Amino acid sequence: MIDVDVLAQLIPNPLTMLVQLCSTFVLFLLAKIFLWPSVQTYLGKRSEKMQSDLEASEQAKQEALIDRQKALSQLNEASDKAEQIVSAAVKQAKEEKAGILAQADKEADAARKKAHEQIEAERQAMYADMKREMVEVALSAAGKLLGEQNPEELDRDAIDAFVKEAGSYGE
């Protein structure tokens, strides 16, 4: 059986403990004397870097906000210009429509007037043809009745006078 002193194992040796504390203190002093200034310098530079990065990010944020406002302003201007262009195009289209309709009305009126003139000319030609036909019928009837005793020119003049008188009475 192994004889182990449990109590000695649980309580540390005071001399070992003192040596360990002294060596830890010496290490701490060495670290404070030689390492602490460089650690402080490193931490200071790191803090400055972080601060400059923070300031740069804040400045970038401000520039982004300014750029955003400029973009919104340009967008609004472009929207206004587009609206003006569309309204001008609509106005021009309405004007062109009115011009086209006016031109169509003029052309329709001219066509109506021409048709009326053509109808009137045809009517006058028809009346003239009717008068000539009446004269010829009257001449042939008078020639048959009279047996061709009068010269034809005298009869034609008499019938023309009669037709003119009858035509002026109907008009």
Side-chain angles (χ1 to χ4, degrees):
M1 170 152 212
I2 304 182
D3 192 20
V4 178
D5 187 19
V6 177
L7 189 61
Q9 292 295 326
L10 288 177
I11 299 173
N13 186 356
L15 182 65
T16 306
M17 215 164 142
L18 183 65
V19 170
Q20 284 180 349
L21 283 176
C22 285
S23 65
T24 303
F25 181 69
V26 169
L27 284 174
F28 180 72
L29 281 177
L30 287 174
K32 185 175 183 192
I33 292 172
F34 295 111
L35 293 177
W36 188 247
S38 62
V39 168
Q40 275 190 329
T41 304
Y42 171 75
L43 290 176
K45 287 181 181 179
R46 184 173 178 210
S47 174
E48 288 174 5
K49 171 80 168 122
M50 291 174 81
Q51 187 63 32
S52 69
D53 288 347
L54 185 63
E55 289 172 359
S57 68
E58 185 64 32
Q59 184 178 2
K61 180 182 174 184
Q62 292 298 324
E63 289 174 0
L65 287 175
I66 291 170
D67 288 343
R68 182 178 180 205
Q69 289 174 348
K70 286 180 183 177
L72 286 174
S73 173
Q74 289 174 347
L75 179 65
N76 289 337
E77 288 176 11
S79 176
D80 291 343
K81 283 184 181 179
E83 190 174 315
Q84 289 173 353
I85 289 170
V86 167
S87 65
V90 167
K91 182 180 177 183
Q92 183 180 5
K94 286 181 180 178
E95 289 173 357
E96 287 180 15
K97 177 184 174 185
I100 290 170
L101 289 176
Q103 181 67 24
D105 286 343
K106 286 180 184 178
E107 289 175 3
D109 287 343
R112 266 189 243 118
K113 185 177 179 181
K114 184 177 178 181
H116 284 296
E117 289 173 356
Q118 190 176 19
I119 290 171
E120 188 60 34
E122 288 177 6
R123 183 183 298 160
Q124 293 298 327
M126 185 180 71
Y127 281 143
D129 285 344
M130 277 181 36
K131 286 179 185 179
R132 194 178 65 247
E133 293 275 333
M134 286 173 51
V135 167
E136 288 177 11
V137 168
L139 278 178
S140 68
K144 285 184 182 179
L145 282 178
L146 294 176
E148 308 241 357
Q149 294 175 356
N150 292 335
E152 191 175 310
E153 277 187 34
L154 291 174
D155 291 342
R156 187 175 293 272
D157 290 340
I159 291 173
D160 282 340
F162 170 74
V163 170
K164 285 182 184 177
E165 186 178 318
S168 65
Y169 177 75
E171 290 178 356

